Amino acid sequence: MKKLIFVLFFFILAISFSLNAQQKPVGFCGTTVEDQYFIKERMLANREYFKNQPLPRPEAITYIPIRYFLVAKDDGTGRISDEKVYENLCGINKIYITQNLSFYLKEIKYINNTSMWENGSASLSAQRINQFNLQNKNAVNVFCVNVANGSELGVLAFYNRVNDYIVCGNPHVIPNGTTLAHEIGHYFSLNHTFYGWENDNYNTITMNCTKTTPMSTSTGILVEYVDRNKTVGTQKQCYLSADGFCDTPADYNLGFGWNGCNYSGCAKDPDEVKLNPDEKNIMSYFLDCLEYFSEEQKDAILKDLNSAKRNFLRSSVYTPKLDLAGSVNYISPKIGEIVAGYNEVKFEWAAVPDAEFYFVTIGGNPTFTLYPQSFKTARTDTVITNLRKSSSIYWKVYPVNANSFCMKGATVNFKTPAFGVATNEVVKNKISISNIVQSGSGVEFIINSDYPDNIQIQLQNSIGQNLNSIKYQIEAGSQSISIPNCIPGIYTYNIDNKNSRLKSGKIVLY
Ligand SMILES: [Zn+2]
């Protein structure tokens, strides 16, 4: 019996451990108290510098260059898609446009580096990231990795104050844009509204509000009071304490783990006045509630942007493109259509005025978790080879230009039959490409020619990198040319001889 109770005890213990492991971890920002000490110094220096020279809010939108580095493992897998960047920028710009600031996408760069992908904070990763940062010092540089900080998995993202770049965990490059809007806030001299309480737990320190709140935190930061008119000497206490802004109410990191967007806990300031934090402030930790910056925070961002330290963001003249709006008009295949053959399908949509290019995604289900593939094109049509037979194929088109990211097309679908159509395309000089198929993990081209010739086949991946370029001497008759070992994805191929392009298109490899 004793033995049974003992076993039962461990069984219950094991269950409770596994339940704990399933609890959603609370995420936080990796910009430390130490970093923010210096960030606040910069904010105060800007405040002092611009004291006698008013800096009105710009009447027209000011465009700020931003660059995303999408990091993958060495083999090119694990990278987030460009679409995540566009969705993210749509969200970030909705937050910053209230102060007439907008980010334009200078470029997306692709890095393959497994250790950087695994941990954006490891010392070798940080060194490498900073090399890329220094080589590209003409934009806000954001590095998207799988894990922002391998030693503290709760870190969603951080601003590296010393080297002036941002690292974000891939799961947080999402449409609402709040995580990166927050880190960009640090980049432009803002601290947390609860600055000083990052390492302290209010409830533990005050024994759940039975003890009086201390006047400074464990890191020595002056605690903010609720009263906006409280003074220290001749200065307002709210300008000196915590984040240094009087229009961000006192907050003792009350959002961390708080459920919902209405704080109703017992926290009181050292004068025993109950706290009423702003749950919607981007620089707070009410992570599901974030919406805006306060007016004083906006002024501080503007001052930092106009400070000498940020000259590099203002040096290049940017001519904005018009905003893209409306919905995408899909032309071919028609919605619900069963196309003629699964092996070669023409995709076409109506041109969107002012779009610079289109990001096209195809997949096996409406959420694109099955067989997702994507590519970028400046054209409004493309032929895709090797779709799955007898399947529903879902696709969407996302038109963008360098400063407009919110016009995402709807997801539509069509069906493929069990059979293919002849792709025989007779071209000049009687060389024809009779089939392009998947062969193992590679691609195989079947070419027929009436006479010997020299051709070149080029293969590019979805981010435009040249993977393979082979020259081949073809004979009269039919022959097969294989390019082996491709990772799954959509590839663009061009087949040329010295006179002309024989065929080009896209192929999906699974
Ligand atoms: Zn932060």
Side-chain angles (χ1 to χ4, degrees):
M1 185 63 190
K2 250 186 187 171
K3 199 176 170 189
L4 181 69
I5 290 172
F6 196 65
V7 168
L8 211 63
F9 173 74
F10 273 98
F11 183 65
I12 291 167
L13 206 67
I15 287 179
S16 69
F17 268 125
S18 71
L19 281 179
N20 278 343
Q22 281 167 15
Q23 275 173 5
K24 198 181 161 211
V26 181
F28 51 93
C29 162
T31 310
T32 63
V33 179
E34 293 73 27
D35 289 323
Q36 291 178 80
Y37 175 85
F38 294 99
I39 294 172
K40 186 173 172 184
E41 291 229 308
R42 204 167 83 220
M43 186 277 286
L44 293 174
N46 290 337
R47 185 183 279 174
E48 185 60 26
Y49 181 83
F50 287 103
K51 196 168 64 179
N52 298 319
Q53 30 180 329
L55 199 59
R57 293 271 167 80
E59 282 182 18
I61 299 172
T62 299
Y63 288 88
I64 305 169
I66 191 165
R67 177 185 287 106
Y68 281 68
F69 293 82
L70 304 187
V71 181
K73 290 189 263 188
D74 291 338
D75 65 2
T77 60
R79 194 191 325 274
I80 56 168
S81 90
D82 292 13
E83 180 184 13
K84 296 280 179 193
V85 174
Y86 309 142
E87 289 177 337
N88 192 229
L89 276 170
C90 172
I92 293 171
N93 281 342
K94 278 182 184 163
I95 293 166
Y96 279 84
I97 199 67
T98 61
Q99 53 191 305
N100 258 355
L101 298 181
S102 187
F103 293 90
Y104 73 91
L105 186 58
K106 186 97 178 165
E107 64 181 329
I108 296 178
K109 275 186 178 278
Y110 308 94
I111 301 173
N112 291 3
N113 183 315
T114 300
S115 47
M116 199 189 285
W117 181 85
E118 284 174 343
N119 181 1
S121 297
S123 56
L124 270 179
S125 305
Q127 271 179 30
R128 197 78 191 95
I129 287 175
N130 195 37
Q131 283 172 1
F132 283 107
N133 177 50
L134 292 174
Q135 286 159 7
N136 294 279
K137 204 68 192 139
N138 55 3
V140 178
N141 285 329
V142 178
F143 294 81
C144 305
V145 297
N146 192 47
V147 176
N149 186 333
S151 339
E152 281 190 279
L153 295 177
V155 169
L156 313 176
F158 63 89
Y159 164 55
N160 183 309
R161 173 195 63 83
V162 177
N163 293 318
D164 205 31
Y165 60 77
I166 291 167
V167 172
C168 188
N170 285 340
H172 313 292
V173 186
I174 50 174
N176 70 24
T178 52
T179 300
L180 275 165
H182 173 111
E183 298 308 328
I184 295 169
H186 286 312
Y187 185 100
F188 286 118
S189 84
L190 301 189
N191 275 4
H192 294 145
T193 50
F194 54 88
Y195 171 49
W197 288 92
E198 283 82 352
N199 303 341
D200 294 345
N201 182 327
Y202 176 80
N203 292 327
T204 312
I205 286 173
T206 63
M207 310 282 281
N208 253 332
C209 304
T210 56
K211 281 176 73 181
T212 307
T213 305
M215 289 168 72
S216 63
T217 65
S218 65
T219 44
I221 309 299
L222 201 57
V223 161
E224 186 169 4
Y225 287 71
V226 172
D227 183 2
R228 304 287 87 184
N229 294 316
K230 197 173 180 70
T231 51
V232 177
T234 57
Q235 284 190 286
K236 283 190 165 184
Q237 204 270 356
C238 51
Y239 274 127
L240 301 173
S241 59
D243 60 355
F245 301 115
C246 282
D247 67 351
T248 59
D251 182 346
Y252 303 160
N253 199 359
L254 304 173
F256 188 73
W258 183 264
N259 198 3
C261 298
N262 185 16
Y263 177 76
S264 56
C266 62
K268 291 174 185 163
D269 72 10
D271 281 349
E272 302 287 315
V273 183
K274 232 176 158 185
L275 261 66
N276 182 19
D278 185 353
E279 298 89 348
K280 294 181 179 174
N281 192 292
I282 297 279
M283 300 312 286
S284 83
Y285 264 2
F286 291 89
L287 297 182
D288 294 332
C289 318
L290 309 184
E291 278 183 27
Y292 50 67
F293 292 109
S294 77
E295 294 307 309
E296 287 178 20
Q297 286 174 324
K298 290 177 185 175
D299 283 342
I301 290 172
L302 192 62
K303 283 171 184 159
D304 198 64
L305 175 63
N306 283 281
S307 68
K309 190 180 162 63
R310 297 281 174 233
N311 276 344
F312 67 92
L313 292 178
R314 290 176 281 115
S315 55
S316 59
V317 178
Y318 176 69
T319 310
K321 316 275 187 308
L322 288 177
D323 243 9
L324 309 181
S327 51
V328 174
N329 180 14
Y330 295 93
I331 296 172
S332 163
K334 299 222 176 305
I335 297 171
E337 177 185 356
I338 301 172
V339 295
Y342 72 89
N343 58 329
E344 191 165 280
V345 176
K346 187 182 183 192
F347 289 72
E348 190 178 2
W349 54 95
V352 174
D354 300 298
E356 280 180 293
F357 55 84
Y358 304 89
F359 192 78
V360 183
T361 307
I362 67 171
N365 61 351
T367 49
F368 299 96
T369 49
L370 262 181
Y371 313 110
Q373 304 292 350
S374 53
F375 61 91
K376 204 154 60 175
T377 177
R379 295 174 59 96
T380 56
D381 63 351
T382 196
V383 172
I384 297 186
T385 311
N386 197 38
L387 291 170
R388 284 170 306 107
K389 61 175 84 168
S390 307
S391 299
S392 275
I393 307 286
Y394 292 82
W395 65 298
K396 60 183 175 183
V397 174
Y398 196 155
V400 291
N401 65 36
N403 56 263
S404 184
F405 307 98
C406 296
M407 187 190 166
K408 187 174 167 178
T411 297
V412 292
N413 76 317
F414 64 92
K415 290 187 170 63
T416 53
F419 43 85
V421 283
T423 62
N424 224 0
E425 189 174 295
V426 180
V427 291
K428 281 189 233 178
N429 303 333
K430 294 183 185 168
I431 298 175
S432 65
I433 321 299
S434 68
N435 216 348
I436 300 168
V437 292
Q438 180 155 1
S439 161
S441 61
V443 53
E444 183 180 9
F445 300 87
I446 314 286
I447 296 174
N448 303 304
S449 182
D450 284 353
Y451 55 89
D453 197 0
N454 291 306
I455 62 162
Q456 175 170 294
I457 301 180
Q458 277 182 313
L459 205 59
Q460 284 187 336
N461 65 11
S462 63
I463 58 175
Q465 290 168 324
N466 258 328
L467 291 185
N468 228 317
S469 177
I470 56 168
K471 291 203 164 86
Y472 201 86
Q473 202 174 358
I474 53 170
E475 305 297 333
S478 177
Q479 51 237 291
S480 145
I481 303 174
S482 292
I483 297 180
N485 302 329
C486 304
I487 58 172
I490 285 196
Y491 292 84
T492 302
Y493 61 83
N494 294 319
I495 308 171
D496 304 271
N497 69 2
K498 69 176 187 299
N499 299 319
S500 61
R501 171 140 302 169
L502 303 173
K503 193 170 172 71
S504 73
K506 292 184 170 61
I507 179 166
V508 198
L509 299 180
Y510 301 97

